[in-house]
Amino acid sequence: MRRPVFPPSAAEPVDVRIELVGAEGDGIATAPDGATLYIPDALPDELVRAEKLRRQGDGWFAPHSGVLRTSEARVSAPCAHFGACGGCVLQHWRDAEYRAWKSNLLDAALRRAGFADPKIEPIQVTPPRSRRRMDLAARRTPQGVVLGLHRRASGPSSAQRIDGRVTVPDSPGTICDLTECHVLDPALFALVAPLRSVLTRLQSLRRQASVIANLLDHGVDLLLRTDAALDRADRERLIDFARSHRLVRLSTAPMQGEAEPVVVLQPPRITLSGITVEPPPGAFLQASREGETAILQAVLAGLPEPMPARARVAEFYAGSGSITFALAQRVRVTTWEGDSAAAAALRQAANRAGLAGRVAVAQRDLARQPVPAGEFSGFASVVLDPPFAGAAAQMAQIAAAKSPRVIYVSCNPAVLARDARVMHDAGYTLLAATPVDQFLWSARLESVVTFAR
């Protein structure tokens, strides 16, 4: 346990009213001395007793020791891990208020980018237990292997009193050992307990490991990263596990390095807009089928009309084709993707489907070598779905090329505000903005935004 260093007066409890919920899901209040307090598990207009613990940005992280006046919008969180698990931060908020807050994340991002009074489409919300991608951390402890998500460092259940003061355990490596989950598809969550058991017996897990599991068309594709090399006994244990739980493929890799299949029991395939793709181990997929559908609808709605079949669209950060094949039903697509395995899977799927004349695939590190503006000639639209860090380098080239229509798929409102500012300053207008909540109860938001010159 660590004891934060601060002036003795900083730890005095204060009763404060929560003014709003901030971008990370914490309640925000103002202390009597004018300091901004970030208070987890607190809702607007609630009165809570909070205690400054440590500096956080321009204010203080201040867990509360009790809600003195409860909001009418507070509900019982369905999951026993709420408050400790870092996956969900807003299960305690009523649906109507929660959805309005999620939509406001997109509204606020676009206003920061310079677009006054943006029109936000109705939010598309994915249902509970529909997430088809599982990304877990594992750690060996004296009590056994824990497997789950990292604990929420600012979570109220992380805070404890020691010698009369509130403190929290160090967050690095602290994992919430999952025994239930209201977000994951049941087919994925069913693997957690038996996976924990087999990890306990692996010699290749010395201290830590990670698990990525994708639910494909005919079963689960699992990638295990460990901090030591597998021996023969470990491989046999993993093969038995894959067979017992009917995985389509189980691959392993060092914590940093290329994946190697240990066993393939069925071809690992997923259907994307009617095209069969064999994604690489640990491949990026949209978090849910419902979220993918909502994103595709918004992207296709953003294309200019009329759109001749021979029209060309440039797509950046294409992955294994989550958006590509929906576009290819209407236009010719030239794609760029930085990951070699994903680009190869996309190219192979397009060729097998007879789409070589409509889908061109190029591998390129778009952060280090963005496609220059001079290569945009002839494209009717640009579509991009960048990673969490956004597309700063590529956005500058898109703006310089004066592309007539730009459709940006974002999973990070803060970065969207930065990249959308480039569009605003280059003279683009905002045509549509659709929030898609496929990261249920988290502070993250997917969105599709269409810009036009």
Side-chain angles (χ1 to χ4, degrees):
M1 307 294 287
R2 105 188 124 151
R3 298 185 183 184
V5 177
F6 45 69
S9 61
E12 293 299 321
V14 292
D15 296 346
V16 292
R17 185 184 71 84
I18 304 301
E19 300 158 19
L20 71 159
V21 172
E24 297 301 318
D26 293 333
I28 297 179
T30 304
D33 62 3
T36 300
L37 306 182
Y38 298 97
I39 306 172
D41 188 28
L43 297 176
D45 205 36
E46 289 189 328
L47 185 67
V48 302
R49 180 157 296 167
E51 191 169 311
K52 293 180 184 177
L53 182 57
R54 63 166 181 262
R55 282 288 182 182
Q56 180 170 309
D58 58 351
W60 289 84
F61 163 56
H64 69 76
S65 57
V67 179
L68 307 178
R69 184 180 67 229
T70 303
S71 167
E72 293 182 358
R74 178 176 284 272
V75 297
S76 296
C79 183
H81 295 302
F82 177 71
C85 177
C88 296
V89 297
L90 291 165
Q91 285 188 350
H92 61 310
W93 209 359
R94 191 165 55 191
D95 280 351
E97 287 80 1
Y98 162 75
R99 294 183 182 191
W101 176 81
K102 273 281 176 96
S103 294
N104 188 63
L105 292 178
L106 178 55
D107 180 89
L110 293 172
R111 289 179 186 273
R112 289 197 301 276
F115 295 99
D117 195 24
K119 182 181 182 298
I120 307 299
E121 299 294 327
I123 188 168
Q124 306 295 307
V125 182
T126 59
R129 296 185 171 90
S130 64
R131 189 175 176 93
R132 64 180 177 184
R133 178 178 173 85
M134 178 170 71
D135 194 341
L136 303 180
R139 182 170 289 271
R140 190 177 294 282
T141 73
Q143 294 75 36
V145 169
V146 295
L147 177 65
L149 297 175
H150 287 283
R151 286 182 175 271
R152 186 183 178 194
S154 60
S157 66
S158 300
Q160 302 180 28
R161 280 190 178 273
I162 295 183
D163 298 335
R165 283 186 169 179
V166 173
T167 186
V168 294
D170 290 324
S171 57
T174 307
I175 297 169
C176 181
D177 202 28
L178 288 186
T179 58
E180 64 177 287
C181 183
H182 295 252
V183 174
L184 288 174
D185 187 293
L188 284 178
F189 183 73
L191 292 174
V192 172
L195 186 57
R196 185 185 292 112
S197 177
V198 74
L199 290 178
T200 301
R201 303 193 301 274
L202 293 187
Q203 297 300 311
S204 57
L205 199 171
R206 302 284 177 81
R207 186 167 178 265
Q208 62 182 344
S210 70
V211 176
I212 296 176
N214 284 326
L215 184 57
L216 304 184
D217 287 350
H218 302 294
V220 175
D221 181 23
L222 190 145
L223 170 61
L224 171 65
R225 293 185 178 274
T226 59
D227 56 0
L230 268 68
D231 58 20
R232 181 175 178 179
D234 279 354
R235 289 181 177 274
E236 291 176 351
R237 292 185 184 100
L238 291 175
I239 291 171
D240 289 343
F241 174 84
R243 287 174 173 162
S244 298
H245 298 280
R246 299 181 179 179
L247 305 188
V248 295
R249 177 175 61 187
L250 192 153
S251 306
T252 62
M255 295 303 291
Q256 301 291 333
E258 297 296 321
E260 173 193 4
V262 172
V263 60
V264 179
L265 300 177
Q266 290 189 59
R269 293 171 177 166
I270 187 165
T271 304
L272 301 174
S273 299
I275 304 300
T276 299
V277 180
E278 294 191 7
F284 166 80
L285 296 178
Q286 294 296 347
S288 67
R289 294 177 182 85
E290 294 85 353
E292 180 180 82
T293 298
I295 289 167
L296 293 180
Q297 289 174 346
V299 168
L300 295 177
L303 295 175
E305 294 290 350
M307 197 73 163
R310 294 186 62 81
R312 298 171 63 217
V313 167
E315 183 192 6
F316 298 98
Y317 308 95
S320 298
S322 293
I323 298 174
T324 309
F325 295 116
L327 291 171
Q329 293 175 1
R330 298 180 58 179
V331 295
R332 293 182 295 165
V333 190
T334 299
T335 73
W336 287 269
E337 167 56 41
D339 182 81
S340 59
L346 172 55
R347 185 181 297 108
Q348 182 185 61
N351 290 341
R352 284 181 174 176
L355 295 174
R358 295 187 67 80
V359 176
V361 182
Q363 182 194 343
R364 188 177 185 128
D365 185 335
L366 297 171
R368 297 175 60 188
Q369 294 180 305
V371 177
E375 296 185 22
F376 283 68
S377 177
F379 290 113
S381 296
V382 171
V383 176
L384 67 160
D385 185 5
F388 192 75
Q394 190 60 64
M395 288 301 290
Q397 298 302 319
I398 292 172
K402 300 181 179 180
S403 302
R405 188 71 59 94
V406 178
I407 304 170
Y408 188 120
V409 182
S410 167
C411 63
N412 184 343
V415 169
L416 171 64
R418 180 200 69 195
D419 289 352
R421 168 62 72 173
V422 177
M423 294 286 94
H424 175 272
D425 293 349
Y428 283 79
T429 59
L430 179 67
L431 290 189
T434 304
V436 180
D437 186 16
Q438 63 170 346
F439 307 113
L440 194 62
W441 295 315
S442 77
R444 293 180 61 190
L445 178 71
E446 196 91 23
S447 57
V448 181
V449 183
T450 302
F451 305 98
R453 285 187 60 82

